[in-house]
Amino acid sequence: MARKKIALIGSGMIGGTLAHLAAKKEMGDIVLFDIAEGMPQGKALDLSQCGPIEGFDANITGTNDYADIAGADVIIVTAGVPRKPGMSRDDLLGINLKVMKSVGEGIKAHAPDAFVICITNPLDAMVWALREFSGLPHNKVVGMAGVLDSARFATFLAWEFGVSVKDVNAFVLGGHGDTMVPVLSYSTISGIPVTDLVKMGKSTDAKLDEIVQRTRSGGGEIVGLLKTGSAYYAPATSAIAMAEAYLGDQKRILPCAAHLTGEYGVDGLYVGVPAVIGADGIEQVVEIELNDEEKGNLQVSVDAVKELLEACKGIDGSLA
Ligand code: A3D
């Protein structure tokens, strides 16, 4: 059987980390694409030379030519400009929308059968625009945010309760922004709802509220510390989990920005929801029951995504 092919559009901090992870896991051959000349080629060479030490078989190449992504099974898009301190995700809109246009057209021309995972911010708008520009089926284009936001939420919960992260199951709904909705009612530690653990005196509602708030601003906290650029290790790991679910037909339920057609009362938008990822891409959106407060919070988040899409349509008339 031929090796799988993974194309990484954008070879910056996340792109390079993705290539290293995909190679270490021998997920397939890897193509690093970027508009910066020499950079993806240099990273590919450097990463190839990890092979003899780490003992992986993967052909890693770098390119500035979309023709080289032909036949890719999975494409992970990080092309664009990352957030700088003080810059909101939404400030990135205009710049990254143009990038999505060129990436979408490149994918459409050279790898229309790929499963495409978008990471570029502002995520919910960029994944929607990328789908529009590429013309791929909606189930084959998805946004990565929920796996990362949920991992941040789970990390903070594990620290609070003093338990292994392996036992924490937590997830986040809604858009990837300050309005995201960490869902406490479905968050458990070894199956025990965290809300029950509060009743047992293991934490307090106030502490959990702080954790929800810290999760919402989790990306900004890292941007503030790094001072240049944004998080890249955990974002890359999150997208790799989604790619593995697709390549291995794992039917994992992962929170991701999926295209909704009526689920959660939302139509025609990409919003973070739990979805089944398997060989057909996004195979199903899982609709969980929400309490009134969560429903209200999700609506605020959906409205924020809608506003972003309207702004995109204002910038690029072809999207209207
Ligand atoms: P960075 O290291 O700057 O890499 C981006 C790369 O994109 C650079 O190498 C650029 O040269 C390249 N690029 C720019 N324009 C184009 C183009 N038209 N075609 C191809 N490549 C191009 O950034 P990064 O890797 O740290 O972050 C990448 C993106 O991910 C940014 O938009 C971040 O905001 C976003 N991000 C999202 C999350 C989510 O959870 C959704 C988390 C962290 C970062």
Side-chain angles (χ1 to χ4, degrees):
M1 202 164 47
R3 289 214 202 143
K4 297 293 181 194
K5 179 168 175 178
I6 295 136
L8 307 171
I9 312 290
S11 304
M13 297 309 288
I14 302 179
T17 311
L18 283 167
H20 196 188
L21 286 171
K24 273 180 91 99
K25 287 170 172 272
E26 295 191 326
M27 289 169 66
D29 291 335
I30 298 154
V31 178
L32 282 152
F33 174 97
D34 206 286
I35 46 162
E37 280 177 29
M39 189 269 267
Q41 292 85 347
K43 284 201 178 186
L45 195 54
D46 187 8
L47 285 162
S48 298
Q49 293 161 4
C50 295
I53 304 161
E54 295 181 8
F56 59 68
D57 278 312
N59 294 320
I60 309 170
T61 50
T63 185
N64 309 110
D65 183 354
Y66 272 109
D68 293 326
I69 72 166
D73 297 284
V74 171
I75 297 177
I76 306 178
V77 178
T78 58
V81 175
R83 225 161 21 129
K84 310 245 161 56
M87 190 197 259
S88 82
R89 287 190 181 88
D90 304 353
D91 292 337
L92 292 174
L93 193 71
I95 306 169
N96 286 349
L97 189 61
K98 280 202 195 92
V99 176
M100 289 307 102
K101 192 176 172 95
S102 61
V103 175
E105 288 168 356
I107 293 173
K108 184 181 197 166
H110 299 283
D113 296 324
F115 180 57
V116 180
I117 302 169
C118 180
I119 307 185
T120 303
N121 271 322
L123 191 270
D124 308 277
M126 291 304 104
V127 63
W128 173 83
L130 183 63
R131 210 298 312 167
E132 294 291 315
F133 291 130
S134 69
L136 265 60
H138 287 100
N139 60 312
K140 298 293 283 295
V141 182
V142 65
M144 188 299 293
V147 176
L148 172 65
D149 295 329
S150 303
R152 288 178 172 153
F153 192 25
T155 304
F156 301 144
L157 287 171
W159 289 346
E160 170 60 13
F161 289 103
V163 298
S164 164
V165 286
K166 290 179 192 162
D167 293 332
V168 182
N169 208 312
F171 80 90
V172 171
L173 287 177
H176 178 64
D178 306 332
T179 60
M180 72 177 78
V181 189
V183 192
L184 277 172
S185 63
Y186 282 87
S187 299
T188 61
I189 292 173
S190 282
I192 309 163
V194 290
T195 43
D196 285 7
L197 289 168
V198 169
K199 283 183 205 147
M200 291 177 213
K202 308 281 186 204
S203 183
T204 60
D205 287 329
K207 272 275 181 197
L208 292 189
D209 286 346
E210 268 175 39
I211 287 175
V212 163
Q213 205 37 56
R214 190 172 180 191
T215 302
R216 285 200 180 115
S217 46
E221 185 178 354
I222 293 174
V223 168
L225 290 165
L226 292 180
K227 307 214 169 51
T228 52
S230 53
Y232 50 98
Y233 293 114
T237 307
S238 304
I240 289 288
M242 294 168 71
E244 285 182 308
Y246 171 74
L247 291 172
D249 191 22
Q250 291 173 347
K251 319 282 186 202
R252 288 199 67 190
I253 298 182
L254 296 172
C256 42
H259 183 255
L260 301 184
T261 52
E263 301 90 345
Y264 294 95
V266 178
D267 199 14
L269 303 185
Y270 272 86
V271 177
V273 290
V276 177
I277 301 184
D280 287 332
I282 297 297
E283 297 187 347
Q284 196 193 326
V285 168
V286 181
E287 261 187 288
I288 57 167
E289 218 169 282
L290 299 174
N291 63 34
D292 286 344
E293 191 188 351
E294 289 161 349
K295 272 187 201 156
N297 288 341
L298 183 62
Q299 192 54 51
V300 171
S301 190
V302 167
D303 289 344
V305 175
K306 263 188 204 159
E307 241 177 71
L308 277 180
L309 295 203
E310 288 313 312
C312 287
K313 289 175 186 172
I315 296 168
D316 187 321
S318 73
L319 291 169

